[in-house]
Amino acid sequence: MRRRGNAIIEFALSFGLLFSVFAGVFQFGYAFVVYNNLQTAVRAGARYASLRVYDSSTSTPSAAYLAAVRNVVIYGDPSGSGPRRVPGLTPEQVQVTIIMDRNVPRDVSVAIVGYTLDAAVRSFTLNGKPKATMPYMGRFAPDMGG
Amino acid sequence: MPEPRAESGIRGKRGFVLLATAAGLVAMVGALGLSVDLGRLYIARNEAQSYADAAALAAALELDGTSAGIVRARDRALALPNRWHLGTASFTGTEVDFATSAAGPWLPAPSSAVNYRFVRVRAAATASLYFIPVVAGQTSSTVRALAVAAQVPKTNFNEGILPFSPMAHDAADPNFGFTPGQRYTLRWGANPKVGPNVCPGDNHDTWVTLAEAGNASERGYIEETSSAVIRMAIEQNYQSRPLAVGDTVVMTGGNKQTQRDSLINRINQDTDKYSATYAEYVANDTGNGRRLVVVPINTWYPEYRVLGFAAFFLLLPSEYPQGGNKSFCAEYVGPFVQGSRHKGAGGPGAYVVRLVQ
């Protein structure tokens, strides 16, 4: 009876320890995988944004430009078709920033904001990262003033 | 005798859970180490590659065959805001080198910048390790990334060209027979004659006669006649159809007043609308590149075949007066780089910046 009790206690202790470590492995592993996917996605979005026609005269992009870049980040496709690359990522969580220099776009940055990374045991909220910046190299088509 | 064996078996069972736990724990810590340290290194490598790619592209856009271009390129590469360590640390120690070909040799500061149109960026990030040192003794690891970008020749345009097509003077010459700094005709005036109404570079019987060989509607604008499309083409580089070397351009008259107004709008998009020449524009360094345009150069009458593409510099607004007998002139610059506010670093033609490694 005493031996059986010892085994149960040892099992309980070791299981608790191993489970904690396993949970940690899972938590970090999952978080890194998702973060890496987000990083790949923002890079692809920034690259696309750097080549797409920029049809605004200011640092505020047109709705069409913004939607297409966000779709590339979320779906890998400017039209928004296909499965999401990262679970739960919404368009509002993809921040697109145009850096103007002398009235023309110079760089474009794409970042993740307000995305909660659920790692099963704990959640992290990403704000402003991952982020990728690319030099703008596309066709600038500013407003023609009517 | 069986009893002692049983005692021995019980002692063994007693230690087994401890041993199994210890072994499992070691394995799990190892897995945690792999998960945390290798995961961070993998992400750091992605971050470094993303930075190297962006820096190489940004630098290649700045190359214009001058030493100032090399300096600009290096500054631009180093100023890119991309970060690593889960987006918290800036890159340091980045190396930027230049070459005339992808095979090198690579120089950090070439004595002559002519034809240096390749940029190599090497970025590195040293990350501390938290778990791997327990088993391997290594406390940090450096991830490296390399990217090579270049101004690569471009022989077709789906968008981006200005809708005029000057007449080549020499089809066999890489510069199409043009002299950099000289002014040539974007659109001919009505009934051109040698004299003040013809652009200086074309002000010769040979070229005026050739211009007269086509009818009046074939002396100017290519492709479109709609005023709205003309405006989009001049002010936004819109193209109604792709154009490649070897294609035939369709010359049309187009509304001259619309073209003139749009050219002035285009010039006014530039932050330097006061420099009279491209050399002055470069020296002032206040422009944003909107006056630097790319046009197809064609063989003219009767084929109108595209020989290549070239950069031209739009003149001061006062140089584009109203009236049908005046020509629209622009200064020949040479190599054009899409998306750059400077001319290219290579030979004559059109280029686009791309990653080549």
Side-chain angles (χ1 to χ4, degrees):
Chain A
M1 282 298 285
R2 208 185 64 197
R3 282 179 205 148
R4 199 182 299 153
N6 283 347
I8 290 170
I9 291 167
E10 284 172 345
F11 174 78
L13 287 173
S14 56
F15 178 80
L17 190 62
L18 289 176
F19 181 80
S20 303
V21 178
F22 178 79
V25 171
F26 179 82
Q27 178 181 337
F28 279 109
Y30 180 76
F32 283 141
V33 166
V34 173
Y35 190 91
N36 198 54
N37 288 346
L38 284 169
Q39 190 182 25
T40 304
V42 295
R43 188 194 180 285
R47 184 72 177 132
Y48 174 80
S50 74
L51 296 171
R52 185 187 163 91
V53 176
Y54 189 69
D55 52 350
S56 167
S57 299
T58 68
S59 59
T60 304
S62 69
Y65 180 93
L66 191 59
V69 175
R70 284 173 162 170
N71 281 337
V72 168
V73 175
I74 296 168
Y75 303 100
D77 180 88
S79 63
S81 60
R84 286 172 194 263
R85 287 174 155 192
V86 179
L89 186 63
T90 64
E92 293 70 30
Q93 290 166 335
V94 179
Q95 184 182 61
V96 180
T97 308
I98 308 296
I99 297 105
M100 301 290 278
D101 180 32
R102 300 180 186 176
N103 300 336
V104 295
R106 188 194 66 198
D107 292 327
V108 53
S109 288
V110 177
I112 301 299
V113 287
Y115 178 77
T116 301
L117 205 165
D118 185 5
V121 218
R122 194 185 151 190
S123 295
F124 308 89
T125 298
L126 301 174
N127 268 317
K129 64 181 182 179
K131 178 180 183 179
T133 301
M134 284 277 174
Y136 184 75
M137 304 191 297
R139 176 166 71 90
F140 178 44
D143 299 337
M144 296 193 298
Chain B
M1 288 303 287
E3 195 59 26
R5 255 187 265 128
E7 280 293 324
S8 167
I10 289 161
R11 272 202 302 270
K13 279 176 194 164
R14 235 181 242 160
F16 177 75
V17 175
L18 198 61
L19 283 174
T21 304
L25 199 58
V26 168
M28 289 303 243
V29 169
L32 186 64
L34 284 177
S35 166
V36 175
D37 288 342
L38 292 187
R40 283 173 55 248
L41 288 178
Y42 190 73
I43 287 174
R45 199 196 170 286
N46 256 359
E47 289 170 321
Q49 192 62 57
S50 183
Y51 164 65
D53 289 351
L57 289 167
L61 280 171
E62 299 294 331
L63 297 175
D64 64 353
T66 68
S67 299
I70 296 282
V71 172
R72 269 198 319 267
R74 177 185 311 285
D75 291 348
R76 189 84 167 82
L78 299 179
L80 255 283
N82 294 34
R83 297 162 82 85
W84 73 283
H85 202 266
L86 300 178
T88 58
S90 299
F91 285 93
T92 55
T94 301
E95 295 176 63
V96 186
D97 300 299
F98 306 92
T100 55
S101 78
W106 294 96
L107 299 171
S111 54
S112 165
V114 176
N115 286 327
Y116 275 80
R117 55 189 179 88
F118 288 79
V119 182
R120 182 181 69 181
V121 172
R122 287 180 291 178
T126 301
S128 299
L129 303 175
Y130 301 131
F131 292 92
I132 288 178
V134 176
V135 286
Q138 190 179 350
T139 57
S140 67
S141 181
T142 301
V143 293
R144 299 178 197 284
L146 179 148
V148 176
Q151 296 176 0
V152 298
K154 181 177 174 68
T155 56
N156 67 297
F157 279 81
N158 294 324
E159 57 183 11
I161 59 172
L162 200 73
F164 298 94
S165 186
M167 165 203 298
H169 288 193
D170 181 354
D173 178 28
N175 276 306
F176 314 102
F178 298 154
T179 304
Q182 181 59 282
R183 296 176 179 187
Y184 297 92
T185 311
L186 292 181
R187 175 178 172 140
W188 292 79
N191 303 311
K193 300 279 184 293
V194 172
N197 288 339
V198 174
C199 301
D202 292 317
N203 201 9
H204 188 277
D205 280 335
T206 309
W207 315 121
V208 173
T209 304
L210 193 55
E212 289 277 42
N215 66 44
S217 69
E218 292 178 337
R219 290 187 198 131
Y221 186 80
I222 56 169
E223 309 297 332
E224 293 291 344
T225 53
S226 151
S227 289
V229 177
I230 288 171
R231 290 188 64 204
M232 284 170 62
I234 294 175
E235 297 176 40
Q236 300 184 329
N237 288 128
Y238 167 79
Q239 268 178 249
S240 53
R241 75 172 177 92
L243 200 60
V245 172
D247 286 353
T248 298
V249 289
V250 181
M251 307 298 280
T252 58
N255 184 294
K256 197 154 187 286
Q257 186 61 38
T258 301
Q259 292 173 23
R260 180 252 179 196
D261 293 346
S262 280
L263 276 174
I264 290 172
N265 288 344
R266 174 69 185 244
I267 295 161
N268 285 332
Q269 288 171 4
D270 204 306
T271 40
D272 177 358
K273 35 188 171 281
Y274 309 108
S275 294
T277 64
Y278 180 67
E280 198 178 322
Y281 185 82
V282 170
N284 288 337
D285 193 26
T286 54
N288 61 17
R290 294 298 287 167
R291 290 174 68 186
L292 201 59
V293 296
V294 61
V295 290
I297 312 297
N298 79 81
T299 54
W300 212 257
Y301 182 82
E303 281 187 292
Y304 297 100
R305 182 170 46 83
V306 175
L307 293 168
F309 298 88
F312 276 76
F313 179 68
L314 296 178
L315 309 178
L316 297 172
S318 58
E319 302 271 7
Y320 298 99
Q322 298 188 43
N325 65 339
K326 294 288 285 183
S327 297
F328 292 157
C329 311
E331 179 187 330
Y332 176 66
V333 172
F336 175 83
V337 181
Q338 186 176 293
S340 172
R341 57 180 65 169
H342 311 279
K343 74 179 181 72
Y351 297 83
V352 62
V353 169
R354 290 284 179 267
L355 288 169
V356 294
Q357 186 181 332

